[in-house]
Amino acid sequence: MALLEGKKFLITGVLTADSLAFGVAQFAQREGAEIVLSGFGRAMRLTERTARRLDEPVEILELDVTDPEHIERARDQLATKWGTMDGALHAIGFAPEKCLGEDFFAPDWEDVSVAMHVSAYSLRSVADIVTPLMPTGGSIVGLTFDAEMAWPLYNWMGVAKGALESLNRYLARELGPKNIRVNLVAAGPMRTVAAKSIPGGAFNVLDDAWAQRAPLGWDVTDSEGVARSCVALLSDWLPQTTGSVIHVDGGFHAIGV
Ligand code: NAD
């Protein structure tokens, strides 16, 4: 039997075919899942165009995670479509330009609060959407960039990832009794729209570091390993894992120099 046979998921964060969520959507369908995507604002068109490249046609909901009305509406739409479901992928990140780059002290709270809202608090919003539709349990999976360390130029996005990782643990604590698992995949660097927004060649620094240190090697253009790991976490095959951050980084995190 396919890994996700008969399961139903909300997959957020598909923007282009490079999006980490696109790979997850593709493998989820190939493993038998029914999925709904979400997109938002002017990028909705891009999500629609990218979705046509999936094996099976999908419905796309409008979901700006900072808009409480969108959250309510998304829950209602999924309830009408499916009644109950099995989980969600959170693949959402954004920080205003000032939050990333040479000057760590450039952004004020207004800028930082946007990064925190969209990139960290939104995991709670995704949980708010799907939790009431998972009466017998399920799996919520998000994506982080290892926040145990400080990285060049990643700055407040890194701080937001730290909050996301903490929220992952608190949600696991709250939702465990409902048999809902919550986990993050800490992916190595991948060339996506979000990654390209990190200024000053930071991406090349990370790319080089991974090339030198990851024992399994790392290809910044191939997110299949990340996609397969997310699908595994969405499946029933890690039933006792929650509140975890699973490194999918070619082993980079385990190597000192
Ligand atoms: P991406 O640009 O393809 O995806 C980011 C997504 O966030 C987009 O689909 C965008 O529409 C969505 N988004 C932004 N603001 C939103 C809002 N207000 N409401 C709803 N959606 C919103 O880039 P990606 O690299 O695939 O990013 C997906 C996740 O993976 C992010 O959490 C990112 O931090 C994480 N991640 C990326 C890398 C990397 O190197 N690319 C590494 C580790 C973790």
Side-chain angles (χ1 to χ4, degrees):
M1 193 169 96
L3 221 51
L4 302 180
E5 199 64 55
K7 291 191 184 291
K8 301 176 178 77
F9 298 101
L10 168 66
I11 308 279
T12 68
V14 172
L15 191 60
T16 69
D18 291 332
S19 295
L20 298 184
F22 180 78
V24 180
Q26 206 167 40
F27 279 96
Q29 282 190 336
R30 289 178 189 170
E31 288 300 326
E34 235 185 284
I35 57 171
V36 161
L37 304 186
S38 70
F40 86 109
R42 278 180 293 161
M44 193 82 181
R45 283 263 177 85
L46 198 48
T47 300
E48 281 163 5
R49 203 179 318 149
T50 305
R52 283 187 222 121
R53 296 175 63 172
L54 289 168
D55 299 347
E56 309 279 339
V58 286
E59 199 174 309
I60 304 170
L61 308 179
E62 188 183 20
L63 175 62
D64 175 345
V65 280
T66 63
D67 187 332
E69 274 179 32
H70 286 200
I71 291 162
E72 294 274 322
R73 200 172 59 207
R75 191 191 306 111
D76 290 347
Q77 286 170 317
L78 290 168
T80 305
K81 185 179 174 64
W82 285 330
T84 62
M85 57 188 294
D86 301 282
L89 177 79
H90 175 284
I92 295 169
F94 172 77
E97 216 175 312
K98 274 192 202 166
C99 290
L100 300 141
E102 294 294 344
D103 187 357
F104 182 80
F105 295 100
D108 54 22
W109 169 242
E110 221 173 289
D111 302 310
V112 171
S113 65
V114 173
M116 295 294 264
H117 194 172
V118 178
S119 310
Y121 182 83
S122 62
L123 183 63
R124 180 240 158 117
S125 309
V126 169
D128 280 342
I129 294 170
V130 296
T131 298
L133 307 180
M134 302 196 290
T136 58
S139 172
I140 298 171
V141 178
L143 288 151
T144 187
F145 189 67
D146 192 354
E148 280 186 29
M149 281 170 269
W151 302 99
L153 307 162
Y154 200 53
N155 299 4
W156 292 96
M157 192 65 191
V159 176
K161 288 298 191 193
L164 178 75
E165 291 180 12
S166 177
L167 177 55
N168 175 57
R169 289 184 285 271
Y170 277 91
L171 285 173
R173 187 173 193 279
E174 291 298 321
L175 300 178
K178 296 183 196 289
N179 194 30
I180 296 172
R181 293 170 289 122
V182 190
N183 292 288
L184 298 178
V185 163
M190 284 291 163
R191 272 195 200 284
T192 63
V193 171
K196 284 177 199 150
S197 69
I198 308 172
F203 195 85
N204 295 338
V205 176
L206 297 175
D207 188 352
D208 290 348
W210 252 259
Q212 283 167 25
R213 261 172 55 188
L216 292 174
W218 189 254
D219 179 351
V220 294
T221 63
D222 180 5
S223 65
E224 183 173 332
V226 174
R228 283 181 179 276
S229 305
C230 291
V231 164
L233 281 167
L234 289 172
S235 81
D236 294 332
W237 282 88
L238 287 104
Q240 295 296 317
T241 301
T242 196
S244 290
V245 177
I246 311 270
H247 293 274
V248 181
D249 63 352
F252 180 94
H253 71 283
I255 305 300
V257 192

